[in-house]
């Protein structure tokens, strides 16, 4: 299914949001291992451009939240990305959610000119620079990796001061990044990966409200109950690419798990 058709189907079936992943490319080398040494799935390099897909999804819907899950900010020019985010939020009527991260594929980062050793610092500066562009009539930013003086960039996002910034990742320093520049933590769910336990750690550290959304949740009502009890705002599941019949089967499995969870919680 095309992104717009998929988004329309998700909205018709009562889902609250759809997220699209981003990889500009995948290096043919396999120097950076995938999870547990497994073969990298083909879906990683069979993707539409993130903001093209999101625009199609937004144009095909009227209520559905559309988001990046996640945008690889360290591979992007921050001035251009700020323009794309603001344009999409404006054209969608304020329905965009900006999931961000640094990614894991070191060869991919290097192909975009980013040294993997400083990727987290680059991520931080680019997010802060974009916040300045969204908030200020005439924006400037001076950092080690981003530097510009007095620029005009319009439109501004509908959501003020900017769309929600959902910080992806599960590494040891991710909670500090959430607290530094995020509105929410946006990890992938991993069985036994400690995500639920770390939600309590995040809330103990935070001096402001921080949402938690979870990607890659399984279609398991027991897991959904645990996430709900931990205060997770939204759980999202990967839906397989393919024709409508395959997508519908994935959605039906997810909806059954939601219905079972809702019945147990009633």
């Amino acid at each position: 299914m095309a992104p717009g058709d998929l988004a329309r189907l998700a909205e018709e079936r009562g889902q609250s949001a759809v997220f699209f992943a981003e990889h500009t490319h995948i290096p043919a080398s396999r120097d950076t291992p995938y999870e547990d040494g497994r073969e990298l799935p083909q879906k990683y390099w069979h993707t539409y451009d993130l903001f093209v897909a999101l625009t199609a999804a937004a144009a095909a819907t009227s209520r559905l939240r559309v988001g990046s899950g996640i945008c690889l900010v360290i591979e992007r020019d921050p001035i251009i990305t700020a323009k794309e985010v603001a344009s999409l939020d404006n054209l969608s009527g304020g329905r965009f959610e900006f999931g961000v991260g640094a990614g894991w594929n070191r060869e991919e980062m290097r192909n975009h000119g980013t040294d993997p050793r400083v990727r987290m610092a680059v991520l931080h500066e680019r997010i802060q620079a974009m916040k300045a562009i969204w908030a200020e009539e005439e924006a400037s930013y001076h950092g080690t990796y981003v530097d510009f003086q007095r620029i005009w960039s319009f439109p501004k996002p509908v959501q003020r001061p900017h769309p929600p910034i959902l910080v992806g990742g599960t590494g040891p320093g991710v909670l500090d990044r959430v607290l530094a520049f995020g509105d929410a933590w946006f990890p992938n769910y991993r069985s036994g990966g400690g995500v639920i336990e770390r939600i309590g750690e995040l809330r103990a550290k935070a001096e402001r409200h921080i949402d938690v959304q979870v990607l890659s949740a399984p279609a398991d009502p027991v897991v959904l109950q645990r996430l709900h009890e931990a205060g997770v705002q939204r759980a999202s599941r990967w839906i397989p690419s393919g024709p409508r019949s395959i997508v519908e089967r994935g959605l039906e499995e997810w909806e059954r798990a939601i219905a079972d969870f809702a019945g147990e919680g009633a």
Side-chain angles (χ1 to χ4, degrees):
M1 294 185 75
D5 294 333
L6 183 147
R8 188 181 301 110
L9 177 65
E11 183 174 79
E12 289 170 352
R13 297 181 74 108
Q15 297 296 323
S16 65
V18 63
F19 293 88
F20 292 93
E22 175 170 57
H23 284 282
T24 58
H25 70 290
I26 290 293
S29 73
R30 289 273 34 89
D31 293 339
T32 301
Y34 185 54
E35 298 170 354
D36 303 321
R38 292 183 291 136
E39 191 69 22
L40 184 69
Q42 190 181 65
K43 68 179 182 180
Y44 277 82
W45 63 94
H46 281 228
T47 60
Y48 287 107
D49 173 85
L50 175 62
F51 282 93
V52 171
L54 286 165
T55 301
T61 56
S62 59
R63 302 179 307 277
L64 193 76
R65 303 287 291 180
V66 297
S68 50
I70 59 175
C71 177
L72 296 173
V73 173
I74 65 164
E75 299 180 0
R76 293 177 146 271
D77 177 277
I79 298 174
I80 292 174
T81 306
K83 169 76 80 172
E84 291 181 316
V85 167
S87 297
L88 178 58
D89 196 56
N90 199 279
L91 292 170
S92 69
R95 291 186 284 133
F96 180 54
E97 305 204 4
F98 192 28
V100 303
W104 55 272
N105 192 313
R106 291 172 179 261
E107 292 77 52
E108 183 180 356
M109 300 170 201
R110 291 192 185 102
N111 287 349
H112 283 280
T114 296
D115 183 344
R117 294 171 297 181
V118 298
R119 66 190 185 279
M120 297 308 175
V122 170
L123 174 65
H124 191 164
E125 285 197 9
R126 290 185 180 174
I127 295 293
Q128 300 292 46
M130 288 190 284
K131 284 184 176 183
I133 293 171
W134 296 324
E136 298 169 16
E137 182 90 6
E138 186 175 277
S140 299
Y141 185 86
H142 302 291
T144 303
Y145 305 102
V146 182
D147 189 273
F148 55 83
Q149 177 69 32
R150 299 181 59 217
I151 68 170
W152 299 329
S153 180
F154 289 83
K156 301 301 184 185
V158 170
Q159 299 176 91
R160 305 302 290 163
H162 50 71
I165 296 174
L166 320 178
V167 180
T170 56
V174 67
L175 301 186
D176 292 333
R177 292 191 290 279
V178 175
L179 295 173
F181 55 79
D183 300 299
W185 185 29
F186 198 36
N188 278 304
Y189 178 83
R190 295 282 187 272
S191 178
V195 166
I196 290 176
E197 293 75 14
R198 295 183 75 187
I199 292 172
E201 179 186 350
L202 173 63
R203 298 244 158 91
K205 288 183 173 182
E207 297 180 353
R208 56 189 170 89
H209 177 73
I210 299 285
D211 286 330
V212 179
Q213 299 191 36
V214 172
L215 283 168
S216 306
D220 182 341
V222 174
V223 172
L224 296 181
Q225 182 65 33
R226 291 187 66 205
L227 294 172
H228 173 68
E229 291 170 353
V232 171
Q233 180 189 31
R234 178 189 287 128
S236 299
R237 184 196 186 204
W238 286 105
I239 298 297
S241 298
R244 185 183 182 100
S245 60
I246 289 177
V247 172
E248 285 184 328
R249 282 199 297 272
L251 281 169
E252 287 164 2
E253 183 181 10
W254 181 232
E255 289 161 359
R256 283 194 298 271
I258 293 170
D260 290 345
F261 152 70
E264 292 170 2

